[in-house]
Structure formats: structure tokens, C-alpha cells
Amino acid sequence: MHSDSDPWDINQIATNLCLCALEEAFIVRGKSLTDFDLPLPSHEHEEFYQDAICGKFEKEKTVQKARDCFEKNVSSLNNDQSEVFNTIKEKIERNKGSLCFLEAPGGTGKTFLLNLLINWIWMNGDSVVATAATGIAATLLHDGHTTHSAFKLPIPITKLSHCSIKPKTRLALQLRDAKILIIDEGPMLDRLNYECLDRSLQDVCSSNEPFGGKIVLACGDFRQLLPIVRSGNRARIVNSTLKKSKLWNDEVTILRLTKNMRVLKLVSEQPQDRDFKNELQAHEQWLLDLGEGKLPNFGEVPITGESVVEIPPSMARNNRADVVDEVFGNLENHVGDKDYLKSRMILAADNDIVNETNLELVTRLPGKMHTFRSIDSAVDDEGGSLFPREYLNTLNPSGIAEHKLCLKVNAVVILLRNFNIKAGHCNGTRYIIKAIGKHRLVLEKLDAEFNDEDKVLLLPRIPMISNESSTSFRLKRLQFPIKLAFAITFNRAQGQSISDKCGILLPKKVWTHGQIYVAFSRCGNPRNTFVWADQAETFKKFNLPQGKKCMINVVYKEML
């Protein structure tokens, strides 16, 4: 370990810190500093100076703030939450390592509970590593990080992969000291990530126990979206989940939250309306039955998990325009109104309908339309450079901005890259455009608090490289890493909450487990959910009764 016998000057400290940050960012993207002819940092120096400069002061400040937070909120735990908290607390106090899974449908107060647990650990002077599978979920956790960046999980990952954790680094020490490792939105991660973490923790902690003897708390809802498997069928998707891992066995502790706090909050706002209370409670059960494939159906295909279910008549609309008008009918009267814009959203299964809807809504805004076209090239190819730029411009790989962006001031956009998780600038964060320049955009978070020092993001164009394996080359695109976001896809909606109006568009059938459940569970109020499904698309496969509007739901029941 480094000591102060060979001190560095401030420039050396700053350079090394910068290299450490760059190394972390590159690892998440499957790159290294050496790919760019940059020197490797000294992790021993970084650990020494970080501890010397801010370690003791920051720890004392964190303990006091954590105690204040815990004491303020612990009395708000309901019975379910208290039982889960006490179970985990007992495991931590006994130092009994194991894999735990917290099953928590949307609205049951999972994030509140996790943050209370984190603060309880901090107030006792101990450490915790809090992560989530998505950037947007990580921002909701105190000191949250994405799972891939926190554990240095490799991309792509294989059955033999190890995390990029060197034994004597600050991260290795942090993992050895942590009382618990939290992974929110756990069902979205491929089981290979858990198995890779298991192997790596055994090495770091010098223990052959599962996860090196650490308590790992995975959280989520298997009714929601499962890991993405490109061109994967039902069997391959199911096989990629945590439940199919060797780590999922009789030793796993299953914990559950069942009381919907979102419903209780809505009821408390209208305590005299008994009809509304009954409607909310019925809707809560309907959602669970939808996610578990238990609703009455008018036909099913067991091999694919498809079934045809009725759209509740109060939600059903006749066409796409009706849904758009229900959600954004008075958009012109709320230009720049963040409270209005953050409280409503339209969801759809595929990008075509999302893009069509976004273009329609941005056109309604006053002001000049700015068009930005990307600079595209082909990389990693024997001859990929021979592809004409016009062809490259037509490609739209997943996770990369489109070639042509049409933007206006006051439009709503969503970020496609993680910039700064702690500041809330991550993949999935929604913004309003405040200013448009030739080389940068000025964005402001839609859900920013008044005192949020990080509410503004100055966004340049950045190079993005696709991970598509279906072509002989990878696309490199220089563009602003955003999409218009009046409407977003079901996959991007996971982790988002809609407090007022939600539109759901189904011009085509969904194709995988959890998509319909995710869409309908974004908004807790059934009176503010509006749905259009193309009945011709549904009738192609099933003989449906007249007078009912239906949709296709996909549920893999073996996952529940």
C-alpha cells in the first residue's frame, strides 16, 4: 500500500484521479485506457489520497445525516416493510452471507425500504454497495450506482467472465468491508452477471462461500421485463434469468412486499370517495392478475405465452389520436410547464409508433424546428468502410440516437447514456430543452427539485458505437445522445412513474414477457390510463367476441 514517503504534487493527484474515472467509464463500455494509448492509473495512490483528503470528514458527515434520515422515516414502515427490514437486519448482525430476493410489485415501497436500510447501515458506521440494473433506478437509491459500473461487470459477458476488480484496489476493499450488496431491478440482469459476481467475490474475499460470504439482496418483480436476449425465444430468455442460475437454490431467502402504498396514497387524497377506493383496489388486483396471466382470456398460445385479454372499457379508446389527445390534448397551453410535462407520458411497444407520436407532438410546440443529422461511419470491419454513408444513416441500432433529430425548445427528451449517476444525469432521465445551440444543448431535468444543483445538463454531441452482432461491422454515430420523449417504449418505461395521465398504444402485438404489465403498472390511477390496440392485428389470430376491445398479453408463467 502507498504511504506518504513518496508524495505526489497536486497535478499528479489530479491526473491520476482523472485516469481512474476514465478507466471506470471505459470498462463499462468494454474498453480500456490502453485502447486509446493512455497510461494506467495507480489505484494505490488514488486510495491513499482519497482517504487522506476527505475520508474521515465525509464518514462523520454521512453517519449523522444517515441517523437523521433513519430516525425521521423508520416509523413510516408498514408491517410488510418492517418484517423485511428486520430479516435483513438480523442477517447483517449475524454476518450471515446469502442470496436474498425481495419480490416487490410497483408501488409497494421498495425504494423507500432500501434507502432506509442503507441509512441504518451508514449510521452504524458500516458500508453498503447500492446498485441497480438501470441508471434511472440507480438514481433513486442513496449513493446508487449501476450494477455494471459498481462491480466492473464485463460487456459482453460469458460463462467464464470475471469482474475487473484488482485485489488491492479501493473497490476490492470496499466490497470486502460492505455489510450488504444491493441489486435493484435484479430480474433484468442475465444470470451470467450474478455468476460472474459470485466468482469475483470469492476471489476478492478469499472465501469459497457463495458471493464470498457476502449478503446479496436482489430486488424486483419477475412479472416485469426479463433480460434482453437478442433474437431469443421463450426458452433462451427464461434460461438467462436469475431463477435458472445455480445460485438460485433452497438456500435463497425470499422476501415479499404486498401492500400497495401508491394505492393507499391515492385513497388518502379522496377519503370520502368509497367508489374510487373500491375501483383502485380492484385495479390493483387486476394488475397482478394481468402480470401473472390469470385474467379471463379469449384465446391463447401456450408455447409463446400469448393470451388475448379484454381492455377495461373505461380505458379503451377507438384510435391513436384519441389516446394522444387524452394525454396531451392541451399541450399548447402548457408550453414549458415542467409539472404538466413530467406527469404524463405515452407508451408503446416499438420505436416506429413512438417516433411517429413524438414527431407529431414536437410539431405542436411553437418555435423553430432544429434538425441535427449525425456523422456515421463503420468500424471493426473488413471492408465496413465500403458501406456508403447514406446506408449507414438508415440504421437505428438499439440504444443509439437516430441519424436525424428534430428538436424544439421546450420539447421533452430522454438521455440515452449515463453521464453522472450521482447527479441524476443517466440513461432514462427525462429533460426539457431550455436552449439549442449548434454544438450543444441546454437541458433541465423534468423532476428536479428547486434546490437541485445538478438540474441543468450541457450536452454535446458524442460518439456512440453500437453493440449489434447482426452485422459484419459496428456503427459509430456522432450525435446528441437523446430521443424525443413525449412517448417512450415499454422497455424504457420500466422504473418510470406517471403521476397523472398515461397513454398506451398497441398498433402491433407485444412479443415478450412483462411488456403489457410494465405499461399498465406505470400509472396507479385507472381513470387516467387510456389504451388503443389495433383490433385487426389481434383478430388475425383469434376469433374474438363482438363489442369488446382486446389486446395480446405475453406471460411466461414458469417465471412466477
Side-chain angles (χ1 to χ4, degrees):
M1 185 63 66
H2 171 74
S3 70
D4 57 3
S5 60
D6 55 339
W8 280 2
D9 63 32
I10 190 66
N11 289 327
Q12 290 173 300
I13 295 171
T15 300
N16 193 64
L17 182 61
C18 180
L19 289 171
C20 287
L22 285 172
E23 182 184 47
E24 180 174 340
F26 288 156
I27 287 173
V28 172
R29 292 161 177 80
K31 295 288 185 179
S32 70
L33 291 172
T34 55
D35 294 334
F36 301 91
D37 295 325
L38 292 171
L40 295 174
S42 168
H43 291 281
E44 291 186 359
H45 279 81
E46 193 268 344
E47 179 181 339
F48 175 82
Y49 285 110
Q50 284 291 325
D51 286 343
I53 293 169
C54 61
K56 183 178 178 181
F57 172 73
E58 286 297 324
K59 187 169 184 178
E60 289 176 352
K61 185 173 69 172
T62 298
V63 167
Q64 185 55 51
K65 292 175 84 173
R67 181 176 289 108
D68 292 343
C69 180
F70 179 81
E71 292 175 351
K72 177 182 177 181
N73 293 293
V74 66
S75 61
S76 299
L77 291 175
N78 62 34
N79 292 337
D80 281 355
Q81 292 169 329
S82 293
E83 184 177 342
V84 171
F85 177 83
N86 290 329
T87 300
I88 297 297
K89 179 171 175 282
E90 181 184 354
K91 283 181 174 291
I92 291 174
E93 290 173 340
R94 292 168 54 197
N95 197 26
K96 182 173 175 56
S98 66
L99 173 62
C100 305
F101 183 79
L102 174 58
E103 181 183 303
T108 53
K110 173 192 64 179
T111 303
F112 173 78
L113 172 61
L114 292 178
N115 282 327
L116 197 72
L117 178 64
I118 291 167
N119 280 279
W120 175 77
I121 293 170
W122 284 345
M123 74 181 235
N124 288 303
D126 295 318
S127 62
V128 53
V129 179
T131 78
T134 65
I136 198 69
T139 64
L140 302 177
L141 298 176
H142 293 178
D143 196 31
H145 303 266
T146 62
T147 307
H148 277 83
S149 64
F151 300 127
K152 301 291 191 291
L153 289 164
I155 302 175
I157 194 165
T158 70
K159 294 179 180 179
L160 301 177
S161 293
H162 278 70
C163 301
S164 300
I165 305 172
K166 297 178 181 178
K168 295 183 180 181
T169 61
R170 184 185 183 90
L171 175 57
L173 179 61
Q174 181 185 20
L175 292 175
R176 283 193 291 269
D177 288 346
K179 292 296 183 180
I180 188 172
L181 313 179
I182 295 172
I183 303 176
D184 197 9
E185 300 291 359
M188 296 185 72
L189 286 176
D190 192 299
R191 64 178 174 84
L192 294 179
N193 290 288
Y194 291 96
E195 293 165 8
C196 174
L197 180 61
D198 172 48
R199 286 190 294 273
S200 300
L201 287 174
Q202 289 185 30
D203 291 343
V204 167
C205 300
S206 301
S207 170
N208 292 326
E209 294 292 315
F211 295 104
K214 290 294 174 184
I215 302 171
V216 174
L217 175 61
C219 316
D221 184 359
F222 279 102
R223 300 175 190 86
Q224 295 194 23
L225 296 167
L226 302 176
I228 295 174
V229 178
R230 297 195 183 280
S231 305
N233 57 19
R234 179 176 183 169
R236 288 183 61 200
I237 293 171
V238 168
N239 189 53
S240 73
T241 65
L242 173 59
K243 283 191 174 182
K244 294 300 179 180
S245 171
K246 62 182 181 181
L247 298 166
W248 189 273
N249 53 40
D250 294 339
E251 299 298 316
V252 176
T253 302
I254 307 296
L255 307 165
R256 290 183 174 86
L257 296 178
T258 58
K259 185 172 291 187
N260 196 311
M261 305 305 293
R262 189 182 297 162
V263 168
L264 294 178
K265 181 177 182 296
L266 288 170
V267 170
S268 69
E269 293 170 354
Q270 302 183 45
Q272 307 304 320
D273 192 339
R274 296 184 62 86
D275 290 340
F276 185 52
K277 177 181 179 180
N278 293 335
E279 185 178 350
L280 287 175
Q281 291 174 339
H283 179 62
E284 178 188 2
Q285 186 58 52
W286 182 86
L287 277 176
L288 293 175
D289 289 343
L290 177 72
E292 295 171 8
K294 293 180 179 179
L295 291 176
N297 68 74
F298 302 105
E300 58 184 339
V301 182
I303 194 170
T304 61
E306 292 177 307
S307 64
V308 177
V309 298
E310 183 181 9
I311 301 170
S314 62
M315 299 182 188
R317 294 298 182 269
N318 293 322
N319 51 56
R320 184 181 74 89
D322 287 348
V323 171
V324 173
D325 287 341
E326 290 279 9
V327 180
F328 287 107
N330 54 352
L331 175 63
E332 296 85 349
N333 298 327
H334 293 274
V335 175
D337 184 345
K338 289 173 60 179
D339 289 335
Y340 172 90
L341 294 169
K342 73 180 182 182
S343 67
R344 59 201 61 224
M345 199 186 302
I346 293 173
L347 311 176
D350 67 277
N351 277 308
D352 289 342
I353 190 69
V354 164
N355 294 341
E356 181 182 344
T357 304
N358 278 324
L359 185 58
E360 174 188 333
L361 289 168
V362 76
T363 302
R364 291 188 189 180
L365 293 176
K368 178 184 176 182
M369 183 79 82
H370 298 260
T371 302
F372 297 93
R373 290 179 169 81
S374 66
I375 299 174
D376 297 340
S377 58
V379 296
D380 295 344
D381 175 44
E382 310 136 357
S385 58
L386 300 177
F387 286 100
R389 182 167 294 178
E390 292 77 11
Y391 167 71
L392 299 177
N393 294 163
T394 66
L395 302 178
N396 287 305
S398 174
I400 287 187
E402 294 153 3
H403 163 63
K404 181 180 177 182
L405 290 177
C406 297
L407 307 175
K408 285 185 180 181
V409 171
N410 293 314
V412 177
V413 295
I414 194 167
L415 196 59
L416 301 179
R417 285 290 184 273
N418 291 324
F419 274 73
N420 186 337
I421 298 289
K422 289 186 177 181
H425 301 304
C426 63
N427 189 346
T429 302
R430 295 172 79 218
Y431 300 82
I432 184 172
I433 299 178
K434 303 300 288 185
I436 298 176
K438 184 176 181 181
H439 301 293
R440 69 176 185 177
L441 306 175
V442 180
L443 310 180
E444 186 175 312
K445 283 187 281 188
L446 274 184
D447 62 353
E449 300 291 340
F450 177 76
N451 59 350
D452 185 351
E453 297 178 354
D454 298 303
K455 65 182 178 181
V456 174
L457 175 65
L458 301 181
L459 187 69
R461 299 193 196 209
I462 65 168
M464 292 166 278
I465 299 178
S466 71
N467 291 318
E468 294 284 348
S469 58
S470 58
T471 59
S472 61
F473 63 92
R474 294 190 297 162
L475 175 69
K476 182 178 181 180
R477 174 163 288 168
L478 182 67
Q479 181 60 288
F480 294 113
I482 56 171
K483 281 177 66 80
L484 286 168
F486 298 99
I488 64 175
T489 62
F490 295 162
N491 289 49
R492 285 203 167 274
Q494 181 150 321
Q496 308 269 1
S497 293
I498 303 173
S499 61
D500 193 358
K501 295 187 176 183
C502 174
I504 299 174
L505 301 175
L506 296 165
K508 300 177 183 178
K509 68 176 185 177
V510 296
W511 57 87
T512 194
H513 172 93
Q515 288 180 307
I516 290 291
Y517 175 73
V518 165
F520 277 84
S521 58
R522 295 311 89 197
C523 179
N525 189 345
R527 296 181 180 180
N528 288 345
T529 301
F530 313 98
V531 186
W532 167 67
D534 186 345
Q535 298 303 292
E537 180 72 21
T538 306
F539 272 95
K540 284 180 182 178
K541 215 168 192 180
F542 303 95
N543 184 22
L544 302 184
Q546 294 298 320
K548 293 185 181 293
K549 289 185 169 63
C550 298
M551 61 185 176
I552 294 178
N553 185 29
V554 179
V555 176
Y556 301 159
K557 294 185 179 180
E558 63 268 38
M559 292 310 307
L560 305 175

